[in-house]
Amino acid sequence: MIKKIEVKNLYFGFKKSEEKLLKGIDLTVQRGEIIAIVGLSGSGKSTLCALISGVIPRIKQGDAQGEILIDGTSLKELSMPHLVKKVGVIFQNPDTQLFSPTVEDEIAFGPENFGLPREEIGKRISEVINKVGIKKHRFKNPKMLSGGEKQLVALASVLSLKPDILIFDEALSQLDLYEKNKILDLIKTLKAEGKTIIMVEHDFDNLKVADRVMLLKNGKLSDFRGETL
Ligand SMILES: Nc1ncnc2c1ncn2[C@@H]1O[C@H](COP(=O)(O)OP(=O)(O)OP(=O)(O)O)[C@@H](O)[C@H]1O
């Protein structure tokens, strides 16, 4: 398991010429911590997550300064396959994450790509399906599931790679109350396993599982004390 993530004096803008979206972000997240990030729409929460997961600059481009380190190693020095195994991201819209013909195939996709043995892949499928509670959907086409069910499949497929860091980018927004509470419980279990969790949240009810809540406002990150967003 990783020991900590450090974001140091991070500046970011999608275009060099425009005013920066992130203006000197500093954040340290320790192993086993749950950090929630709140802020108005467009304040840059997803962008910060994309930087921490390496999606920026590997998949999306932009102008970044500062550093992001995992256990002291800059993200720039980590290969994409290494990062994918370390940091799992669950997005608000699961449709962007699901493309396999069955739930089982979806979950197997990551481990298959890493060439894990068949037996190990089977073990991981059963494990995450039970963990997330989607056994009855195992052989269904993810496209046929409800928004909340798709979200659970996306989470299961991310968990199958056993990442140390999990980023929930408004990932609970499509869940009904029952599913949401189940996932909040699962987040607590993941924390107990030593996973490090970053949650972007609009639903303040979900903040109860967080050890710390941070506010992203005007490009800066600070402790959230319940003030107006
Ligand atoms: N690829 C991109 N190119 C240019 N601008 C972008 C790109 N992606 C996002 N933006 C802009 O950056 C700003 C921050 O977006 P971001 O999605 O990070 O905000 P957010 O705080 O996560 O918002 P929300 O709560 O609505 O999800 C927005 O103004 C958005 O339009």
Side-chain angles (χ1 to χ4, degrees):
M1 289 283 179
I2 64 121
K3 292 195 184 71
K4 66 177 168 187
I5 310 166
E6 291 167 287
V7 178
K8 289 186 177 173
N9 205 21
L10 180 68
Y11 284 77
F12 180 80
F14 281 101
K15 290 205 182 86
K16 237 184 176 133
S17 52
E18 285 173 2
E19 191 189 335
K20 295 272 174 280
L21 182 60
L22 305 176
K23 301 172 187 169
I25 303 282
D26 285 299
L27 173 70
T28 302
V29 192
Q30 304 288 348
R31 175 200 158 136
E33 236 190 328
I34 304 177
I35 295 288
I37 302 174
V38 298
L40 289 177
S41 272
S43 56
K45 304 180 297 294
S46 295
T47 304
L48 177 58
C49 291
L51 282 152
I52 295 174
S53 66
V55 165
I56 300 174
R58 288 174 171 81
I59 298 168
K60 287 186 192 172
Q61 301 305 310
D63 180 40
Q65 279 130 41
E67 268 196 304
I68 304 174
L69 309 159
I70 296 180
D71 287 347
T73 303
S74 167
L75 283 201
K76 290 177 204 145
E77 284 157 39
L78 299 174
S79 69
M80 197 58 193
H82 188 88
L83 255 181
V84 167
K85 275 200 283 190
K86 278 256 175 287
V87 190
V89 190
I90 307 103
F91 298 98
Q92 183 176 15
N93 178 2
D95 288 323
T96 59
Q97 270 175 296
L98 305 174
F99 44 82
S100 300
T102 70
V103 166
E104 184 183 78
D105 291 338
E106 192 65 57
I107 296 168
F109 183 81
E112 272 171 0
N113 265 307
F114 280 100
L116 294 184
R118 267 272 121 224
E119 202 179 306
E120 172 65 19
I121 296 173
K123 213 174 101 195
R124 290 197 185 192
I125 293 171
S126 308
E127 203 178 293
V128 297
I129 272 180
N130 286 328
K131 220 168 184 170
V132 179
I134 50 169
K135 215 170 173 179
K136 61 175 184 244
H137 303 312
R138 182 168 182 154
F139 302 107
K140 291 185 190 166
N141 184 332
K143 298 221 161 20
M144 300 300 158
L145 301 175
S146 74
E149 289 163 349
K150 283 181 186 170
Q151 199 60 278
L152 299 178
V153 176
L155 172 57
S157 64
V158 167
L159 289 180
S160 69
L161 279 177
K162 298 180 182 270
D164 291 351
I165 303 163
L166 286 154
I167 301 180
F168 291 81
D169 189 353
E170 279 177 56
L172 279 63
S173 59
Q174 298 208 36
L175 305 179
D176 65 27
L177 197 62
Y178 172 77
E179 289 166 337
K180 205 173 76 174
N181 285 329
K182 215 170 60 177
I183 296 308
L184 288 173
D185 279 343
L186 177 55
I187 287 176
K188 286 191 262 180
T189 306
L190 293 168
K191 170 190 165 73
E193 289 171 4
K195 310 263 188 206
T196 304
I197 293 156
I198 299 175
M199 307 165 71
V200 168
E201 271 305 329
H202 275 296
D203 183 349
F204 277 28
D205 195 39
N206 298 339
L207 302 180
K208 61 189 174 208
V209 297
D211 297 305
R212 266 194 296 153
V213 182
M214 312 294 292
L215 170 66
L216 184 56
K217 191 173 181 175
N218 301 327
K220 300 263 190 195
L221 200 61
S222 56
D223 287 327
F224 179 60
R225 302 179 201 284
E227 65 269 46
T228 328
L229 296 184

